Amino acid sequence: MFNSMNRLGETHVRKAVLPMDTRVYIVEPDRLIRHFIEVSVASMGYHPMVLPSLNQLVDQFDGQVPGCVLVGSPGDAAEETVVWMASFLQEHPTARPILITVGCKVAFAVHAMRQGFSYVLEYPFTYEQFSEAVHLAIEESEAKIHAETNRLPATVTRLLTAQEEDIVSLMLNGAATKEIAVRLNLSVRTIHYRKNAIFKKVGANSRSHLMQILTRPAANPVIAEQTPHSASA
């Protein structure tokens, strides 16, 4: 469990700045661990929702409310959990899951994150590590909801790859280059390269110019004149 259980609820831990109805779905088979996770989540200012199984998540998850899913899974069942969650995320992209497990190898943690998990926590971990993972997952969920609510014009999305769309969405939310790199698990150099490609595709010459273009109507001629063929030429 946590290395420092006595730290639960201490005031120096970063508190939630999102609404109290922000949800943290908890699917943990061990009763004692489940209780401590629930108390910890509540101490952060989030609303814990304890579910008996992953199947219950399908009925309870609200994609319009920022939230993350804490999934406890022993090592021998972790792969099955990852497969299930990858399928769930296809229908619920705003969910940001965190896998809590034991005996997890680095290769499997990388695999889980590639399948959509925001973080993988292995026992034992500190309350600070736990709370930071939850906070960041919640922020990612909020950004996803914002991106879903404020979809880019079709004239833009047809020109961009899925990864470039993610970058643009984060830029619209004010994320700096280093933050985007961390969020997408990419190098800063790669983000710079992708941003330059985005600028070229939509006809922008700077970040501020890009923001101006994207906040105009979808029929903006600067974008409309671009085509997938000409952008890749």
Side-chain angles (χ1 to χ4, degrees), residues 32-79:
L32 181 60
I33 295 175
R34 184 171 62 244
H35 170 72
F36 278 114
I37 290 176
E38 184 179 5
V39 171
S40 301
V41 168
S43 76
M44 297 176 208
Y46 297 130
H47 176 54
M49 293 186 65
V50 179
L51 304 175
S53 69
L54 283 172
N55 290 331
Q56 293 293 317
L57 184 62
V58 176
D59 296 326
Q60 297 295 325
F61 183 77
D62 184 350
Q64 301 303 310
V65 178
C68 74
V69 183
L70 293 170
V71 185
S73 182
D76 56 354
E79 175 59 30

Side-chain angles (χ1 to χ4, degrees), residues 91-222:
E91 297 294 327
H92 306 279
T94 61
R96 305 316 305 150
I98 298 173
L99 180 64
I100 300 175
T101 188
V102 63
C104 179
K105 296 182 179 179
V106 173
F108 180 77
V110 172
H111 164 66
M113 295 180 73
R114 285 177 176 172
Q115 293 301 310
F117 277 85
S118 292
Y119 303 95
V120 176
L121 294 175
E122 182 180 11
Y123 295 116
F125 46 81
T126 66
Y127 175 68
E128 285 77 10
Q129 292 170 329
F130 174 80
S131 62
E132 189 68 12
V134 171
H135 284 309
L136 291 176
I138 292 290
E139 289 172 1
E140 289 174 11
S141 176
E142 186 186 33
K144 283 280 187 180
I145 291 173
H146 181 84
E148 290 289 319
T149 305
N150 302 278
R151 284 185 176 275
L152 299 175
T155 46
V156 174
T157 58
R158 74 182 185 186
L159 303 177
L160 305 179
T161 65
Q163 188 178 83
E164 288 169 346
E165 285 187 49
D166 288 340
I167 292 172
V168 171
S169 294
L170 288 169
M171 291 173 69
L172 284 171
N173 278 282
T177 299
K178 288 184 178 179
E179 182 181 353
I180 295 173
V182 172
R183 291 286 191 92
L184 299 181
N185 197 29
L186 297 170
S187 69
V188 171
R189 182 176 181 179
T190 297
I191 298 301
H192 278 303
Y193 176 81
R194 295 283 186 266
K195 283 169 59 178
N196 288 334
I198 292 167
F199 292 164
K200 182 178 179 181
K201 289 180 178 181
V202 303
N205 54 34
S206 66
R207 180 181 179 128
S208 60
H209 188 199
L210 175 66
M211 296 300 102
Q212 291 175 8
I213 291 174
L214 296 179
T215 53
R216 293 173 183 173
N220 185 284
V222 177

